């Protein structure tokens, strides 16, 4: 995972929402353009950029270390969630990836299919010497609350046991509960999932600070940065929290000063 | 995609309806004969011709650049739509294809199967140096309206993210909404899907003009040309709009003059 | 398909009913013996013989050109029809096959599985230089009437588009409607499916005559020959219609004279 | 099949019931030990021994020709029966098998899966020069009576058509009806399936005599031998019937005399 | 299995519960750390350590012989249990495994999938010369009581027949009934499954003593050791029972003395 870390911490910019949620839900005239977001990643010194293979192939410029998401789905089908592989490890590497990502919908009726596919991907990734990062999202009829401490720590632990080198999981609400998830993940890196745009900067930064205090390695963020009216400022604030351990107020202050 | 473009624009003649809808629904004594349609493509200077492998193998004459549709289904089963691969990339190339097409029924309960299959096809196509073109048709119980701006732009974006080099999508009704779909598709080419025979030429040409004004690369058309009583005239009008940017009235006028 | 044609016409003897319908439904003490039927094919100068691999392996004598049916099912399960591959193209060739057959239940909920399998078989068959013949039988809950002109022509067209070199389809009732099916099949050969034993010879021969008048290449027949009390006579009459264009009365008359 | 025949007849000892039915249903302190049963096979001059791979690997001593059953299931699931491959042909051969067995639950909703798997196994077995023996058991919701003459003969015929070298089928109740099943199987060998322990020796031997009179090649028996209080006596009686054509009374008499 | 035995007996420490049950159910601040548990295995002279590939890759130190569990699932989905392969045999070996484990949920509607996968794994394991150990857990709607003598002995027998070299099964309640399960397993090794933390040490040790008296090869234990307040003491007591045949009272006494 060192390709995506600076002093053991990292901030990944994720831009797969056009496929996962559709362009209408999340995008505007600016951020619908991959160049706009790739530019944010570069200027903001993000330590990683997460793209599906199509955008990687057509837009990626080699500046920010690339993670190719290997599976994907739309949010249209109403059945139990399943996301299957659309890009091979080999192809990802040929597109410049230094790591691969894969989403497992833990608890879905199709869980076993995704666990199996991740198992194969993880072995292929390690064979070519790159990390396999697991997006572990408990979801489906059997999952009542996907941010409860129990379910978030389960996601973290599953990531460790199936061989992921890092996990991306949702925030469980408090540093205390999230630190249990971080413990469950053991030596692998935990990235908090940014989620939808938060109502205020303080709210979101507070969650990130909570996750970092709990021992997270960093953040995988999308909409809270590239939907922000000033992505550079938000990126600056996040970096103050993630890399320099600032608290929210100080981080916001310093980000304005930049 | 340059094999199928002239100054960045293209007009593809599609002739897979005998399989997809059956010969009774769409055909008459003339257009049931593949030679009749291939002839239209040639005489009308279409920039691409879309065939299933059987017709390609038995009729294709090498004149108009060929796209082989790699998957297909009939319209008989009433279950959630699924269309699986019936022709390999290798076979398509051996039949003279300069590109391959594949339909993804986005939103179907079987979406993941088609996304996965397209993922593999796209990699194989790029390995042999030809484009992979995605027919992206949101369909199934979860899709209420397959021409709403939201769903059409979702189709376009999905095409970009899964690595298609061009996407064939339905028209969303207005240039304004379609331009959002074109934006969602980014750098890949957007072809408007012709659909069933329109009541009048003006109606259909108006849609095409709308799509072109919105930034489309062109049109993939079948029935509105080869069901037309004067396919050459319709082709001429379409080309005036697509390649020369004429408006509908002028295009019709010039097509008569030819 | 030339291996199975004489002046462009052909008559195939099919003997897969023991597997498809069970021996009790169709067989008696004589015709349950494969040698009896293979003998009919040889003596009757049939241009092709259709067997499953087991009977081909144990009984086939190399006299009449062999088509091995590659898939099969029993009539016991009541679910949507599905027939999967039980013999490889390679194995069929090693048994002496000059062509392979495969049944697609168009309209079945499992249609896509069979289309995909046929697609692979067709490519393998063409690689080794033998024809792939599609038995296209629309069937399943979505198919109300499998001999309607619409459905029969759909079957014919699907055969053409998926790359079959010949199709075996049911008779649609009249020469007029069947000629539309033949047109839909384009350049590939259309074989009328014999079906269950007809009440009178005239009835059956009339259908065959109708199919031939409509442009069929010939007939794939089983029970109407080998359940007949005088198979040689029936074969003679059929050949008069198929190869010499006789009408039913003349054909019957000549068959008696032989 | 000559590895398992003596003058064209054979008697196979089957010992897969611990997996198929569980040890509590069929076993006692003696016959739960594979050595006990293998010993019976050896001392009783059985012409074949049927084992799953685990018992073959750990107990088989090379004395009686071995058939490895390649698929299996427990009797626990209540859904439509399906039994998938648990041992490869290659592995079976490495364990000393001179033949392989596979069960097809004809009429099950999963029939096609088993037919396909048997198809592949049969080809692999023939490639390495050993016979493929089909246990054909019509079963599932669609099968009302699995010993009716129609269904038993269907099983036999299906075995022939899919390329089995021998079939194991249930007894249809009378020699007359079973002889139809034997006819349906054509040149391949028919083994009557022994089934559960019969109430009296006479009952069971009568069935075997009936099957032999009907033309069977022999018997595949398990519980009626190794659950018997005197397996050697029962084996002796069976051999008198199968190999020497004795009637039941004489066979019993001679078996006592041994 | 000799890699995991001392004088034919063995005690395996299993630590896959974080994946199978989640970290909240079973773990505390100490035992959530894989190092803590691996340390217990080493200090307690366990003859085997059972890990999923992720923990093996990141924590395993080569001290205690390693078994990698090749499949896994979470306890979240409520459908019929299915656990598919997430690690290849090859990968397990590269992580230092001297054996592989696989869980079969006997009686599940997905039983056949797991039997088939185990079959392949067993062959691969034997090819590279390591044992395949089957966790056989009857479960699913069809299984009413997974510790009844009938079902436990069925699990043991299934393990033998499908080629496992050792089987891990639940305790059936009494030495008498468990000895029938041991008999059913024949020559393969039977490990009693430890299960959840027992209310008192005496209860658990009594079960282990019962299993050993019944002929088990040993114990595969997790929570009853690493959830214990004094794992070393519990391990000592277990070893007195397993390797030295002590009764429960004596074993507890000696473990205190250590």
């Amino acid at each position: 995972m060192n390709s995506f870390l600076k002093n053991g911490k990292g901030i990944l910019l994720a831009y797969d929402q056009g496929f996962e949620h559709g362009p209408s839900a999340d995008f505007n005239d600016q951020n619908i353009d991959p160049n706009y977001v790739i530019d944010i990643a570069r200027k903001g010194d993000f330590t990683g950029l997460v793209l599906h293979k199509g955008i990687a192939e057509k837009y990626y410029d080699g500046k920010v270390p690339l993670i190719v998401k290997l599976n994907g789905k739309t949010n249209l089908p109403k059945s139990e969630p399943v996301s299957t592989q659309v890009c091979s490890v080999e192809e990802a590497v040929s597109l410049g990836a230094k790591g691969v990502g894969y989403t497992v919908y833990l608890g879905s009726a199709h869980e076993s299919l995704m666990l199996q596919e991740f198992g194969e991907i993880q072995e292929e990734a390690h064979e070519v010497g790159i990390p396999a990062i697991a997006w572990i999202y408990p979801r489906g009829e059997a999952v009542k609350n996907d941010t409860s401490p129990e379910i978030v720590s389960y996601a973290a632990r599953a990531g460790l046991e199936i061989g992921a080198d890092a996990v991306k999981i949702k925030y469980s609400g408090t540093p205390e509960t999230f630190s249990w998830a971080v413990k469950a993940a053991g030596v692998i890196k935990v990235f908090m999932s940014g989620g939808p745009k938060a109502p205020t900067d303080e709210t979101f930064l507070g969650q990130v600070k909570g996750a970092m205090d709990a021992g997270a390695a960093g953040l995988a963020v999308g909409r809270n940065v590239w939907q922000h009216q000033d992505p550079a400022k938000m990126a600056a604030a996040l970096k103050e929290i993630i890399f320099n351990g600032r608290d929210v107020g100080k981080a916001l202050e310093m980000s304005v000063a930049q």
Side-chain angles (χ1 to χ4, degrees), chain A:
Chain A
M1 279 301 293
N2 286 331
S3 311
F4 303 102
L5 301 173
K6 214 160 59 185
N7 299 324
K9 308 289 183 200
I11 177 166
L12 312 176
L13 193 63
Y15 188 60
D16 58 352
Q17 291 81 356
F19 186 23
E20 302 289 339
H21 312 146
S24 302
D26 295 325
F27 291 174
N28 63 21
D29 270 346
Q30 278 189 304
N31 59 34
I32 200 170
D33 180 3
N35 291 316
Y36 174 78
V37 174
I38 291 172
D39 206 48
I40 291 172
R42 189 177 50 79
K43 288 189 183 149
D45 285 328
F46 279 75
T47 62
L49 175 64
V50 182
L51 301 173
H52 273 293
K53 75 172 173 182
I55 294 187
E57 187 181 44
K58 268 90 180 179
Y59 292 89
Y60 180 58
D61 58 7
K63 299 280 167 58
V64 175
L66 176 66
I67 293 161
V68 171
K69 263 297 293 298
L70 299 190
N71 65 338
K73 59 180 272 301
T74 71
N75 66 4
L76 298 172
K78 299 308 174 206
S79 35
E80 284 285 281
V82 60
S83 182
T84 49
Q85 194 173 0
V86 296
C87 180
S88 67
V89 171
E90 192 187 355
E91 175 80 358
V93 168
S94 83
L95 296 172
K98 298 281 179 291
V100 290
Y102 186 94
T103 304
V104 176
Y105 292 110
L106 225 62
S108 160
H110 306 295
E111 175 193 282
S112 66
L113 187 155
M114 291 172 279
L115 288 171
Q116 186 160 41
E117 217 167 45
F118 179 79
E120 291 169 8
I121 282 168
Q122 187 257 14
E123 297 188 10
E124 288 170 41
H126 287 196
E127 265 170 40
V128 299
I130 61 172
I133 304 164
W135 273 231
I136 306 221
Y137 292 159
R139 202 169 292 178
E141 273 194 32
V143 178
K144 299 307 171 202
N145 177 0
D146 68 349
T147 57
S148 76
E150 289 75 19
I151 212 79
V152 170
S153 61
Y154 203 159
R157 184 68 176 199
L160 169 64
E161 302 231 4
I162 63 178
D165 301 294
V167 274
K168 184 183 167 201
I169 55 175
K170 292 206 172 181
Y171 188 56
S172 55
T174 63
E176 292 69 35
T177 55
F178 203 70
S179 78
W180 178 244
V182 171
K183 262 202 171 146
V187 296
I188 72 170
K189 299 292 177 185
V190 173
F191 287 84
M192 180 190 130
S193 168
K197 183 86 167 60
T200 70
D201 292 356
E202 283 76 9
T203 311
F204 180 61
L205 294 171
Q207 293 175 351
V208 176
K209 176 67 180 163
M212 297 309 295
D213 286 350
L219 175 71
V221 64
R223 290 162 284 178
N224 276 291
V225 165
W226 48 252
Q227 284 186 350
H228 199 279
Q229 56 179 23
D230 187 348
K233 187 188 147 202
M234 178 49 95
L238 287 168
K239 286 186 291 181
E240 288 300 329
I241 292 171
I242 292 168
F243 296 106
N244 301 329
R246 312 284 184 195
D247 63 27
V248 174
K250 187 71 181 172
L252 270 174
E253 199 180 301
M254 293 186 72
S255 71
V256 173
Q258 289 185 331

